[in-house]
Amino acid sequence: MAGTNIGDISGLTPFESNGDTNCVCMPLKRWIKSVSMNADSTRLIEDGRDTNQQQRRALLLHSAALNMSRKWRGMVAVVGGILIHLTLGTTFGNLSPYLVSYIRERSKPSDLTYEMATWIFATANIMQGSSMYFGGLLGKKLGARVTVLIGSSIQSAGVLLTYFSLRHSFYLVIITYGVMYGLGVALAYGAAITCGLRWFPKHKGVITGLIVAGYGGGAFIFNQVQTAYINPENLSPTERLSGKYFDQKEILDRTPTCFLLLGGCYIVLQLIGTLFVVDPPENEILSQQSENQSGRLFPLPDEKREEMDSRCSGSNLKSSAVVRTRAFWTMWFTFVLNKETEIFVTSLYKVFGQNFIRDDRFLSLDAMLGLCTFSFAFLVTFIATEEAGKAMFAIWVCAIFFALSGNFALFPMATARSFGEENAGPNYGLLYTAVVVSSVSGTLFISTLSERIGWIGLFYFCAGCSLAGGIIIFTFNMKTPKGKDI
């Protein structure tokens, strides 16, 4: 009845009659009833449409509120990662002259050289390279917060214990400031980054850059803390047969206690950072993955979907599959060659500068600026530095560290984009094993051949490594599902 035309009921209009009053009344009654039912049906349909629109609007508002809440919680986690990395990125190069001078004067061996002392930094890198994979696995099992807490505790303990080991021997310093420091950094470093990436999977480059900026920011802050505490009078080292070393009593007295100061600062920042670092709940990770596929709560056209997630390979590989890809080994060998340069620069930049710059505060400040701005004019500026003095040295350090910063910002992002976010921590740890090779080979090269080939020879070696790394990375072949470069 509800589907009957209003003007055609049983072949009669409301006002048609065959002379029988019942024939007039009955169709009229049926016509009125049909009008009423049609009106009810129309009202129900409109009410249903309104209800659907209200539900859709409510879902959109709820989704926006969840996204806003998730964004703020994710930003807090990123800030926590930055605070953690601030404590991990203090440079060994600024502390090396004080540490070596102290061991020569008051500990053993008394003939320690700067080249031999690079084994402290190399040991820390070896521990990082060999342990970061396990740090990624630990992060998957225990979560970012617990992993960061364990790593930070080991690293800070190593710094504090160096106060005691420094008084006994160089080899104990290798254990506390090399093994323990490197192991702690390996566990905390990757966990802080992968936590940020899980909160913001569509902004891998930005999040990685922000967190790793804290790594360089550690030099911005703590290089100055070290120099202001140990050498507030800005005294210069004394010329010796094997190099320039500090022998001033006040500087030597403050060197061990500086590690207590640094350890205390690290603990405070790490406790705050650990409170902030927290993984997103599983349901939100699934929600993010759903949004990566559709872009919104409600699906978008394919063109828009491609635009929102266009830089990932679409793979989600475990480490056993990753090592069988050409892309992994391309990045691995590039990492090895780039790290050769980094080990040399971070370990000996200040020692080189002391040959012609008698300003300890400037050397520390220059490293701070270099690590925070991290060019490409490596060889030319290095050779010209002795002639141009402070200005050229500042240009050199800033330029070199500007180039080296790409290792920290790009490789974690490239790993996540190439092999997937689910195993990004272990996979980046696997890539970081390249540091083991470069640390051993680079330190052996510096400690055994530096006297034979001199500074210029070392410069050529590092320039060659950087050039080779640049050539290899051009063969990187990872593509998106649409065939574009990631």
Side-chain angles (χ1 to χ4, degrees):
M1 181 70 71
T4 307
N5 291 331
I6 294 176
D8 183 19
I9 302 175
S10 300
L12 296 173
T13 66
F15 305 104
E16 287 180 334
S17 171
N18 57 7
D20 188 354
T21 53
N22 287 331
C23 290
V24 174
C25 294
M26 289 303 296
L28 182 60
K29 289 179 182 179
R30 289 177 5 206
W31 177 78
I32 293 173
K33 185 177 180 181
S34 69
V35 171
S36 175
M37 292 180 67
N38 271 295
D40 291 342
S41 298
T42 303
R43 185 164 55 253
L44 286 171
I45 293 172
E46 291 177 350
D47 289 346
R49 288 174 179 171
D50 289 343
T51 302
N52 287 337
Q53 290 177 353
Q54 290 173 1
Q55 290 177 347
R56 184 182 178 89
R57 191 178 298 113
L59 285 172
L60 286 171
L61 291 174
H62 180 64
S63 176
L66 286 177
N67 286 336
M68 183 61 66
S69 173
R70 180 172 58 205
K71 182 181 294 185
W72 281 108
R73 285 181 290 154
M75 290 174 66
V76 169
V78 170
V79 171
I82 294 172
L83 291 176
I84 295 297
H85 273 241
L86 277 174
T87 66
L88 307 180
T90 305
T91 59
F92 173 79
N94 184 65
L95 203 55
S96 176
Y98 310 127
L99 188 148
V100 174
S101 298
Y102 182 91
I103 292 175
R104 288 174 61 92
E105 293 291 330
R106 300 186 180 181
S107 187
K108 55 186 178 182
S110 58
D111 58 347
L112 182 67
T113 62
Y114 290 121
E115 290 77 15
M116 283 299 298
T118 57
W119 278 107
I120 301 174
F121 183 67
T123 303
N125 276 296
I126 291 170
M127 290 304 300
Q128 279 184 253
S130 59
S131 305
M132 193 169 286
Y133 172 75
F134 301 102
L137 295 178
L138 195 65
K140 286 191 67 176
K141 186 172 183 179
L142 302 180
R145 174 176 287 176
V146 175
T147 305
V148 165
L149 181 61
I150 294 173
S152 299
S153 301
I154 295 173
Q155 185 247 9
S156 295
V159 174
L160 293 172
L161 289 174
T162 304
Y163 167 79
F164 302 100
S165 63
L166 186 61
R167 297 167 177 264
H168 289 83
S169 76
F170 163 69
Y171 303 103
L172 286 178
V173 174
I174 289 180
I175 295 175
T176 59
Y177 207 59
V179 174
M180 293 184 66
Y181 191 97
L183 176 61
V185 171
L187 299 181
Y189 183 95
I193 294 177
T194 53
C195 176
L197 294 180
R198 295 183 79 191
W199 279 104
F200 299 100
K202 291 186 288 186
H203 304 283
K204 298 179 182 69
V206 175
I207 297 304
T208 303
L210 283 173
I211 295 176
V212 174
Y215 199 80
F220 185 91
I221 297 172
F222 291 110
N223 273 9
Q224 299 311 295
V225 172
Q226 294 166 4
T227 302
Y229 180 80
I230 297 176
N231 190 11
E233 295 86 7
N234 199 25
L235 301 175
S236 299
T238 304
E239 182 76 43
R240 300 288 179 87
L241 291 176
S242 57
K244 292 186 175 183
Y245 303 94
F246 293 98
D247 57 5
Q248 295 89 340
K249 180 179 182 300
E250 54 269 39
I251 289 180
L252 299 178
D253 288 343
R254 298 189 194 106
T255 298
T257 54
C258 181
F259 289 95
L260 297 179
L261 174 63
L262 292 175
C265 294
Y266 293 166
I267 289 173
V268 172
L269 289 173
Q270 288 166 354
L271 286 176
I272 298 173
T274 302
L275 291 175
F276 289 173
V277 172
V278 58
D279 286 316
E282 281 301 321
N283 61 329
E284 295 198 12
I285 297 174
L286 293 174
S287 174
Q288 281 279 30
Q289 292 172 348
S290 175
E291 287 187 36
N292 280 346
Q293 296 172 0
S294 65
R296 287 176 180 259
L297 183 65
F298 302 100
L300 293 176
D302 290 340
E303 299 83 10
K304 184 65 175 178
R305 187 180 306 139
E306 178 184 354
E307 176 187 344
M308 296 187 69
D309 195 20
S310 60
R311 302 301 299 274
C312 295
S313 68
S315 302
N316 224 339
L317 303 181
K318 293 184 177 180
S319 300
S320 57
V322 166
V323 296
R324 295 196 294 269
T325 64
R326 175 182 153 193
F328 171 79
W329 291 107
T330 300
M331 291 195 291
W332 192 88
F333 280 108
T334 304
F335 211 165
V336 168
L337 293 167
N338 288 351
K339 269 290 184 177
E340 297 281 0
T341 302
E342 183 197 337
I343 289 170
F344 169 71
V345 174
T346 359
S347 301
L348 296 176
Y349 77 90
K350 191 172 182 179
V351 176
F352 174 71
Q354 285 176 344
N355 290 323
F356 51 89
I357 298 176
R358 299 182 60 82
D359 189 339
D360 189 54
R361 189 173 298 158
F362 170 80
L363 293 171
S364 299
L365 177 64
D366 193 57
M368 173 190 76
L369 295 174
L371 283 169
C372 295
T373 51
F374 267 155
S375 161
F376 41 84
F378 179 80
L379 184 59
V380 175
T381 53
F382 231 168
I383 296 175
T385 298
E386 293 192 46
E387 302 299 328
K390 287 184 178 181
M392 186 61 75
F393 186 78
I395 293 172
W396 164 75
V397 173
C398 290
I400 294 302
F401 280 109
F402 177 81
L404 291 178
S405 65
N407 292 328
F408 302 100
L410 296 179
F411 279 110
M413 176 190 68
T415 302
R417 282 182 172 176
S418 300
F419 312 121
E421 299 162 17
E422 184 177 343
N423 300 294
N427 289 341
Y428 182 64
L430 199 64
L431 178 66
Y432 212 83
T433 57
V435 177
V436 176
V437 176
S438 56
S439 297
V440 174
S441 60
T443 306
L444 282 173
F445 185 86
I446 292 171
S447 59
T448 58
L449 296 178
S450 58
E451 293 185 1
R452 298 181 184 180
I453 64 177
W455 287 109
I456 298 300
L458 291 173
F459 303 157
Y460 276 111
F461 170 74
C462 293
C465 289
S466 297
L467 178 62
I471 293 172
I472 290 175
I473 201 63
F474 271 107
T475 67
F476 187 72
N477 66 334
M478 187 60 71
K479 304 289 185 180
T480 67
K482 297 294 184 179
K484 298 180 180 179
D485 293 327
I486 63 167

